[in-house]
Amino acid sequence: MSADQPPRRHHVVAAVATTAEVLAHPDLDPDMLAPWEHRRLTRIRVQARRDDVVAARLLLRLCASRFTGRAPDAHELVQFCPECEQYEHGRPSLRDSPRTGVSMSHAHGLVAAAAGPGAVGIDVEPSTRRPGPMAVLRRMLPEAELRAAATSRDPGPGLLRAWVRREALLKAGDAGLPLLEWEDPGLGATAAVASAAPVDVLPAMTAPGHW
Ligand SMILES: [Zn+2]
């Protein structure tokens, strides 16, 4: 990321990347994570899964940096769960910028993050993933989404998109928000962002001369 990028305070900054790309990013380092985040990581047994979690938390800091204009390591991430009234899990926020909405997602070597004005939620899944079983989807997805998917020759992609949209809305904590949904064929990723603000999706990390 070049230092002369102006902050984009009225837009959501969103990004999708592979875990490997984020971990190799020159402006990001796992040392940026807080001690409590490192503590939580030690409970994850599978190395690949741990890498996904680290990468998601780093990508969140990069998106926050693009949104606020501050350095990625200037942001202190906090999480609070209102149900258990406990910190260190639940919806993330920035201690230094409480009105900035932030969100992150990880799935099998893919990560996504977003930062913007107000509530925001992001979700990513591998495009090959097929959510299910149908009994579960019938409980979780709106009737219209299920009907639309059922009428197509291959309902799988439609159901996956519906699932990703639902997750993005859940993470934003507001089911009424507009959604932006896209597929990145290069990454094999299907993603959605829920936000009232316009969304800028950062170009692929592998694009020349960017980030
Ligand atoms: Zn909880």
Side-chain angles (χ1 to χ4, degrees):
M1 188 187 78
S2 56
D4 55 2
Q5 299 267 0
R8 309 178 200 186
R9 293 187 187 280
H10 305 291
H11 287 210
V12 170
V13 178
V16 177
T18 66
T19 291
E21 285 169 342
V22 173
L23 294 181
H25 194 288
D27 294 342
L28 300 173
D29 190 296
D31 285 347
M32 289 175 181
L33 269 55
W36 68 266
E37 292 177 281
H38 283 292
R39 255 195 331 271
R40 282 196 50 190
L41 285 168
T42 60
R43 290 184 224 149
I44 306 171
R45 296 284 172 88
V46 181
Q47 177 72 46
R49 175 81 209 293
R50 209 157 51 224
D51 288 347
D52 289 347
V53 174
V54 171
R57 287 166 184 274
L58 290 175
L59 192 58
L60 185 150
R61 283 161 165 92
L62 189 74
C63 290
S65 162
R66 277 300 191 86
F67 176 69
T68 64
R70 277 177 265 159
D73 62 356
H75 298 289
E76 190 186 342
L77 184 64
V78 289
Q79 281 179 267
F80 181 72
C81 174
E83 276 165 44
C84 335
E85 296 189 330
Q86 279 182 0
Y87 289 91
E88 306 192 357
H89 70 281
R91 187 164 301 143
S93 61
L94 303 177
R95 194 189 292 284
D96 48 290
S97 184
R99 281 189 295 182
T100 298
V102 290
S103 184
M104 60 186 156
S105 175
H106 56 83
H108 307 286
L110 291 172
V111 286
V120 61
I122 193 164
D123 194 57
V124 67
E125 293 288 351
S127 299
T128 50
R129 198 194 148 203
R130 295 294 171 255
M134 273 312 285
V136 173
L137 297 183
R138 270 190 210 100
R139 283 202 304 273
M140 303 230 175
L141 297 179
E143 186 61 40
E145 303 261 28
L146 292 168
R147 261 202 312 273
T151 56
S152 64
R153 201 158 49 88
D154 177 8
L159 288 174
L160 179 66
R161 286 195 296 272
W163 179 265
V164 167
R165 286 197 291 270
R166 172 191 177 270
E167 290 291 304
L169 290 169
L170 268 182
K171 287 179 183 176
D174 181 348
L177 288 175
L179 282 157
L180 174 73
E181 175 207 307
W182 74 100
E183 224 172 300
D184 188 317
L187 294 171
T190 297
V193 177
S195 170
V199 178
D200 294 339
V201 180
L202 296 180
M205 273 196 178
T206 47
H210 109 288
W211 287 38

